[in-house]
Amino acid sequence: MIVAPTAASVAEAARLIRDGGLVAFPTETVYGLGGDATNERAVAAIFEAKGRPSFNPLIAHVLDAAAAKAFVAWDGTAARLAARFWPGALTLVLPRLKDSSLSLLASAGLDTAAIRAPAHPVAQALIRAAGRPIAGPSANRSGAVSPTRAEHVAESLGERVPMILDGGPCLVGVESTVLDLTTATPTLLRPGGVTREAIEAVIGPVALSNGIPNGAAARKSPGQLASHYAPSRPVRLNVVSVELDEGLLAFGPSPLPGASLTYNLSPTGNLAEAAANLFAQLRALDRPGIGRIAVMPIPETGLGLAINDRLRRAAADDAAGSGR
Ligand code: TXA
Ligand code: MG
């Protein structure tokens, strides 16, 4: 059920979470499927509802750096990054504290945990009311396009989630950047809402590990399967012309002519606007009458890194993805 976020509905959602239930909640990046991150059964229920083929580790959502310190080994780099980007679209991977109460399943057997403080006021109100960290992958069936509106969650998860808090469309629109701080040089495991450039301006060089399928990065951040954000129609990237049966995902002031249906990620060529529109427009183009989705080139700078990463996954049509 989709409900407006009021003091009463947030309190009810928090009670559900404390009781081990699941609640879908808005964040500034995408909607999350939330459960008590300290409750193994709740975390197991998240994997079950998503239909994840394997136990990819989950992000624990907290209010701030002070809360994070109760669960992971905090250091100076984490402190500088949190001071600059929290609350916001940056997830930090840090060593679990020995006595960390975070679910082991949430870490999928790794001795590290991913943690982030979301900026959305409804997410913050829910975490505060629940009084515990909330584990939250994107609130969609595994492998499907991430939800940026409450209706997307209802379409993808249906009865599997009893309550969906409606926080409106997500302002960032792509998932958080995942940065591993347990390596000698911090490693970008997933490009996302905070750009590599912005991170490097705070902590210096960051190593890239852009989720090459089945490579080291895939093992380190198991969510990085190739075909992962896939619409049901084939996706063709960097097109310079459009075919008759295609729907066009355009970018910039000059959308290619000839498509049967066109959405423009950003007519002015603004990458933040494009990120915010990405998943909703991919969904809108994934409809009967459209044979394929053609995507115009997006610059590989700033937020373009995250956008192109998600588009490459949407276009990947490999064995790894068929298990989603
Ligand atoms: O924006 C977001 O990050 C959204 C919202 C809801 O917060 N959440 C999200 O969660 O995208 P999910 O589960 O779809 O992606 C989490 C990513 C996965 O790629 C996972 O492999 C990685 O973070 N991850 C989680 N824990 C990790 C760990 N201990 N070490 C390495 N990677 C980890
Ligand atoms: Mg996801």
Side-chain angles (χ1 to χ4, degrees):
M1 194 183 41
I2 297 180
V3 299
T6 60
S9 65
V10 169
E12 165 69 7
R15 194 189 56 76
L16 268 170
I17 299 254
R18 281 195 304 270
D19 286 350
L22 305 186
V23 172
F25 65 102
T27 82
E28 74 279 26
T29 58
V30 300
Y31 277 74
L33 179 61
D36 180 350
T38 66
N39 179 335
E40 300 288 354
R41 276 192 305 108
V43 171
I46 293 175
F47 285 111
E48 194 181 16
K50 278 188 66 82
R52 273 203 182 182
S54 60
F55 292 142
N56 298 326
L58 305 181
I59 297 169
H61 297 78
V62 294
L63 274 182
D64 51 27
K69 286 175 195 165
F71 307 107
V72 290
W74 202 246
D75 65 12
T77 308
R80 269 147 65 212
L81 288 168
R84 171 67 183 81
F85 298 112
W86 279 11
L90 177 65
T91 294
L92 302 176
V93 173
L94 290 159
R96 290 171 62 98
L97 289 178
K98 270 202 176 53
D99 56 354
S100 177
S101 60
L102 283 183
S103 148
L104 287 164
L105 185 53
S107 285
L110 301 172
D111 51 13
T112 57
I115 202 152
R116 116 172 157 92
H120 198 293
V122 175
Q124 294 173 343
L126 181 63
I127 296 164
R128 193 174 289 115
R132 59 203 64 196
I134 295 182
S138 50
N140 51 275
R141 291 285 285 172
S142 184
V145 175
S146 289
T148 53
R149 290 159 196 263
E151 306 83 69
H152 297 164
V153 180
E155 282 160 26
S156 192
L157 291 175
E159 305 296 297
R160 294 181 184 91
V161 54
M163 187 173 183
I164 302 167
L165 287 172
D166 187 353
C170 300
L171 290 179
V172 175
V174 291
E175 295 85 347
S176 62
T177 302
V178 180
L179 186 69
D180 187 354
L181 294 182
T182 68
T183 47
T185 304
T187 306
L188 191 72
L189 297 179
R190 178 177 74 180
V194 171
T195 65
R196 177 193 187 182
E197 293 89 330
I199 293 169
E200 289 188 328
V202 176
I203 58 164
V206 160
L208 269 192
S209 160
N210 53 6
I212 298 154
N214 307 318
R219 282 193 296 278
K220 181 80 199 192
S221 190
Q224 304 291 63
L225 297 174
S227 176
H228 193 76
Y229 295 87
S232 58
R233 282 163 185 70
V235 176
R236 202 163 64 86
L237 301 181
N238 298 315
V239 301
V240 291
S241 67
V242 183
E243 284 158 34
L244 273 175
D245 69 329
E246 289 182 325
L248 178 68
L249 193 59
F251 178 80
S254 316
L256 293 166
S260 61
L261 177 65
T262 295
Y263 282 88
N264 198 329
L265 288 169
S266 172
T268 60
N270 178 308
L271 288 167
E273 184 186 19
N277 285 329
L278 179 65
F279 291 135
Q281 294 191 353
L282 270 178
R283 277 168 191 277
L285 286 165
D286 195 17
R287 67 151 80 152
I290 303 291
R292 257 193 323 200
I293 300 171
V295 186
M296 286 176 63
I298 317 281
E300 187 78 10
T301 57
L303 281 174
L305 214 65
I307 296 169
N308 283 318
D309 171 80
R310 306 307 187 270
L311 284 170
R312 278 192 291 273
R313 288 169 207 288
D317 183 18
D318 61 278
S322 61
R324 70 179 183 265

